[in-house]
Amino acid sequence: MIGDLVKANRSCRRFHEDHPVDLKTLKELVDLARLSASGANLQPLKYILACEPRMNSEIFSCLGWAAYLKEWPGPEPGERPAAYIVIIGDITISKEFGVDHGIAGQSILLGAREKGLAGCMIGSINRKHLREILNIKPQFKILLVLAVGKPKEEIKIEDVGPDGSIRYWRDSEGVHHVPKRPLQDIIVATHTA
Amino acid sequence: MIGDLVKANRSCRRFHEDHPVDLKTLKELVDLARLSASGANLQPLKYILACEPRMNSEIFSCLGWAAYLKEWPGPEPGERPAAYIVIIGDITISKEFGVDHGIAGQSILLGAREKGLAGCMIGSINRKHLREILNIKPQFKILLVLAVGKPKEEIKIEDVGPDGSIRYWRDSEGVHHVPKRPLQDIIVATHTA
């Protein structure tokens, strides 16, 4: 059931780094993105895959983690992603990428979740550095980095409280809490017979 | 299996218009979007739902359909969507919406597909007209319109041919063909142990 999968598919930032994610798995995930919708079917997205410790470490050094957790600089060694999918846009195909990378990212992470993995779409990227590390040509725009691995954190969805804050937070036992706006707050009008 | 659902989830533009899609169903679909990832968890997306013939007809008049099918102005009466989900961004929450509406749209259309429905994310919108019709306040930016209904077309995924064209096309029997780039063309580099 897609509802269960969507609910289970929480943005995850701590992983069992020693649990490998192989290239075959990453390709299966990209295939889900490949078969998803693309604006005007242009399909301008391309992918760089990494599941090798040294390169993972280089990619990790380009990423910003969990802006609301001010005292947490990101996952420690041993809890970092075992793989990355870097989504880049080919500007020789299209200058604009619309929401293609959102659609692709959602397909990929739902697929990862089904495989017992988890991940996170990361937009806070040192793009200049990542371009050097991965030798990304000027023909490509860096859009998103998806971290992937076996999850090592408990995440709870909650309703936004009376203070209205949407900031996720961690309790003393390390459980990650994510406040979501209730349905009645996000549906602003209905037109029915 | 998410793979089967992603594959079955084709952008659909002809529907059994007499097959109703009720408000409860639309709310269930929006709930999938609600529980999906949002940049910095800001959740700036809001939704307007319509499943009423007169309002549907008004919304329909604001939409551009299938740019590559030059001789097809869009679905005829009787084959139009039975419902719409209009995704708007609340600029009092965030000025930027990133790819949140792509993530939301993918969750919604996967959910629709599971329910035996289908849909299409439409970005070609007469926004000024739609704003008037739906009385959308300046606080909201119009992002996407999702058409939803019971599908009435056959759609085939194919590999992009030797000419490299990604334009979808319809054959003489009305089957809609969608060329997709093969996996080896979209993965530009891999880094493995």
Side-chain angles (χ1 to χ4, degrees), chain A residues 1-7 9 25 28-33 35-36 103-117, chain B residues 1-10 32 36 103 106-114 157:
Chain A
M1 294 288 292
I2 186 73
D4 296 328
L5 199 56
V6 164
K7 224 169 283 178
N9 180 36
T25 300
E28 286 167 2
L29 296 176
V30 171
D31 206 43
L32 295 176
L35 296 170
S36 296
I103 298 169
Q106 183 67 343
S107 290
I108 287 171
L109 292 185
L110 289 171
R113 186 62 266 187
E114 191 181 61
K115 290 174 185 289
L117 302 171
Chain B
M1 295 288 291
I2 187 73
D4 296 329
L5 198 57
V6 164
K7 225 170 280 179
N9 181 35
R10 299 296 95 218
L32 295 176
S36 298
I103 298 169
Q106 182 66 343
S107 289
I108 287 171
L109 292 186
L110 288 171
R113 185 61 267 189
E114 190 181 63
I157 301 174

Side-chain angles (χ1 to χ4, degrees), chain B residues 4-72:
Chain B
D4 296 329
L5 198 57
V6 164
K7 225 170 280 179
N9 181 35
R10 299 296 95 218
S11 294
C12 177
R13 298 176 181 86
R14 287 171 291 178
F15 304 90
H16 293 279
E17 190 170 348
D18 57 358
H19 181 95
V21 177
D22 63 15
L23 190 62
K24 179 170 168 287
T25 300
L26 295 178
K27 286 184 174 179
E28 287 168 0
L29 295 177
V30 171
D31 206 42
L32 295 176
R34 181 178 83 83
L35 295 170
S36 298
S38 166
N41 199 39
L42 286 170
Q43 308 164 66
L45 303 185
K46 307 237 163 141
Y47 301 86
I48 298 169
L49 311 179
C51 52
E52 185 271 313
R54 205 185 45 81
M55 184 56 87
N56 283 353
S57 162
E58 298 256 38
I59 295 172
F60 179 84
S61 73
C62 301
L63 304 177
W65 292 83
Y68 298 139
L69 306 179
K70 296 293 180 201
E71 293 173 11
W72 189 68

Side-chain angles (χ1 to χ4, degrees), chain A residues 34 36 38 41 43, chain B residues 10 157-160 178-182:
Chain A
R34 182 179 81 84
S36 296
S38 166
N41 199 39
Q43 308 164 67
Chain B
R10 299 296 95 218
I157 301 174
E158 289 161 5
D159 278 349
V160 166
V178 182
K180 287 288 187 189
R181 303 187 196 280

Side-chain angles (χ1 to χ4, degrees), chain A residues 142-176:
Chain A
I142 297 170
L143 299 174
L144 273 180
V145 174
L146 308 189
V148 180
K150 189 180 170 201
K152 193 186 174 181
E153 64 180 1
E154 189 184 346
I155 302 166
K156 284 191 177 161
I157 303 174
E158 288 161 5
D159 278 349
V160 167
D163 67 352
S165 173
I166 46 64
R167 291 172 173 242
Y168 45 77
W169 55 284
R170 274 200 204 144
D171 66 25
S172 57
E173 291 175 352
V175 175
H176 187 85

